[in-house]
Amino acid sequence: MKKKRNCIIFLLVICCISGCGKNSRSVEDEVLTEPEYETRSIVQENETVQVYDGWERVDCPANDKGIKYVYYPHVENKIKGVSYVEDSLGYATDYSLEAFKNINCPIGCKSIKHKSEGCESQSNFQPELEGANSIKRNNPLIDVRDGEKVLDIGNSLVNNVFDETVVTEHEVLTQDVQAVSFAIYEDFFDTIPELTVKLYGIPVTLWEEELGNTMEFSWKQYEAFEKQYQDNNFAKLDLLAEKKIEKTGVYYIDYNDLHKKGDYAQILIVLNFDKEMPYTYRMCGNGIYEISDKEAYDEWKNSHMDYYIQ
C-alpha cells in the first residue's frame, strides 16, 4: 500500500553510485529521531521487507565501521519495464539490464549493444530515521545526458594513464529507437518538481566549427564544447522535441524522426526540473534498439504514440 509523505524536511541524500555515505557514529549509537515513524514488515517472495513510514530499508556494508542502511520509497505495485532507484543498487535487488531491454523492446525492433552504454540519472534520499549525518543534495535543475553517445575509439593513454589532452579518433554511436523509463514516485510524495524532458540536436555545422570534420579531437576539447553550449543555455542547439513527464512509465525516442528535422551530429537528452527539493527519482535510458521490421514497428508505434517524446 502506497502512502504519501506529509513532510519531506527530514530527507537526507544517499549517494546514487555507492548507495550510502559514511556515518560518524556507529549504528548501535543511533536512535530514531522525532517524529516517530510507522514501522511495518511486508513479506515479498519469501523475504521480509522492513518499511519505515513508507521508506524501505536494506542493509548496506558501507565501510569497516559496521552495517549501514539504504532507504528508498517502497512501491508495491511496480510498473513493468520501469527501472526504479533500488534496481541500480546491486546489493539491494537483483538487477538485470538485459531483462529491462527485452521487456521494453518495441515490436519490430531488436536490441543492440553499443561498445559504450549508460544513460542514467537519479537522486536517492532517505528519511532521518537513524540520525545519520549526510551532505544534503537536491535534484538538479538541469541534467544533460548523451542520447547518441560519443565514444573514443583511438588511444588516449599515455604510459597507461588516461590523458584528456591527447587528440584521438571518435565516433558517435547511433540507434533507431531508445526506451527511457522514469520512476518519479508521484504517488509517494505530496509534491514533486515538474519534470520536462527536452531533446536537443547539435547541428553538424556547429560541431565541425568547434571540433572539426575529421572526428579527431581530445576529451578536453569535447568537454570545453559541452560547457560552451550548456553555459549559453543551449541557444546554439536546436530544440527537437519535449514532453512533460507526469507519471511513472516507459517512454520512447524515435531518432529517425528527429534526424528528419535537420542534420545533427549528436542528440542530447536534457532533464529540466522547475525547482530543487529533496526528491527521489530515476531515469534509465539504457534500452537501445534498431528497427528490424518497419511495418510491424510502425503499427506498434502508432498505438503507443502517447509515450513518445516528440
Side-chain angles (χ1 to χ4, degrees), residues 222-268:
Y222 181 69
E223 289 173 352
F225 176 47
E226 285 185 314
K227 186 176 187 304
Q228 178 190 121
Y229 65 65
Q230 291 187 50
D231 286 348
N232 67 23
N233 199 27
F234 309 99
K236 292 185 178 181
L237 309 188
D238 291 343
L239 177 60
L240 305 178
E242 65 179 288
K243 188 178 186 67
K244 285 186 178 180
I245 306 298
E246 298 177 323
K247 60 181 180 179
T248 295
V250 181
Y251 298 81
Y252 292 87
I253 301 170
D254 189 323
Y255 285 93
N256 296 312
D257 286 348
L258 300 181
H259 280 292
K260 288 177 182 177
K261 298 180 181 179
D263 191 5
Y264 301 105
Q266 187 184 12
I267 293 174
L268 306 174

Side-chain angles (χ1 to χ4, degrees), residues 63-82:
N63 49 48
D64 58 1
K65 296 182 179 180
I67 299 296
K68 286 179 56 62
Y69 306 107
V70 170
Y71 293 86
Y72 48 81
H74 177 72
V75 179
E76 292 185 15
N77 299 312
K78 294 183 177 180
I79 297 175
K80 187 176 181 180
V82 173

Side-chain angles (χ1 to χ4, degrees), residues 100-106 109-112 174-180 252 255 286-291:
F100 281 99
K101 284 185 176 182
N102 293 334
I103 291 171
N104 295 330
C105 183
C109 292
K110 63 180 181 180
S111 179
I112 58 177
T174 61
Q175 56 265 344
D176 291 328
V177 183
Q178 184 171 12
V180 185
Y252 292 87
Y255 285 93
N286 291 328
I288 51 179
Y289 313 96
E290 66 178 25
I291 298 172

Side-chain angles (χ1 to χ4, degrees), residues 189-232:
F189 297 100
D190 280 337
T191 60
I192 65 173
E194 183 179 277
L195 170 60
T196 302
V197 178
K198 297 183 178 181
L199 305 180
Y200 284 94
I202 303 178
V204 169
T205 52
L206 175 62
W207 181 281
E208 293 183 351
E209 178 184 323
E210 299 294 333
L211 297 174
N213 59 6
T214 63
M215 290 301 289
E216 294 183 354
F217 47 83
S218 70
W219 275 108
K220 188 170 185 179
Q221 289 173 308
Y222 181 69
E223 289 173 352
F225 176 47
E226 285 185 314
K227 186 176 187 304
Q228 178 190 121
Y229 65 65
Q230 291 187 50
D231 286 348
N232 67 23

Side-chain angles (χ1 to χ4, degrees), residues 40-91:
R40 59 196 176 108
S41 295
I42 298 173
V43 177
Q44 289 185 337
E45 298 180 356
N46 300 319
E47 293 184 3
T48 300
V49 177
Q50 293 296 318
V51 179
Y52 293 77
D53 199 33
W55 293 81
E56 186 169 335
R57 185 178 83 176
V58 294
D59 293 339
C60 170
N63 49 48
D64 58 1
K65 296 182 179 180
I67 299 296
K68 286 179 56 62
Y69 306 107
V70 170
Y71 293 86
Y72 48 81
H74 177 72
V75 179
E76 292 185 15
N77 299 312
K78 294 183 177 180
I79 297 175
K80 187 176 181 180
V82 173
S83 176
Y84 291 83
V85 167
E86 61 269 30
D87 293 318
S88 67
L89 310 177
Y91 48 76

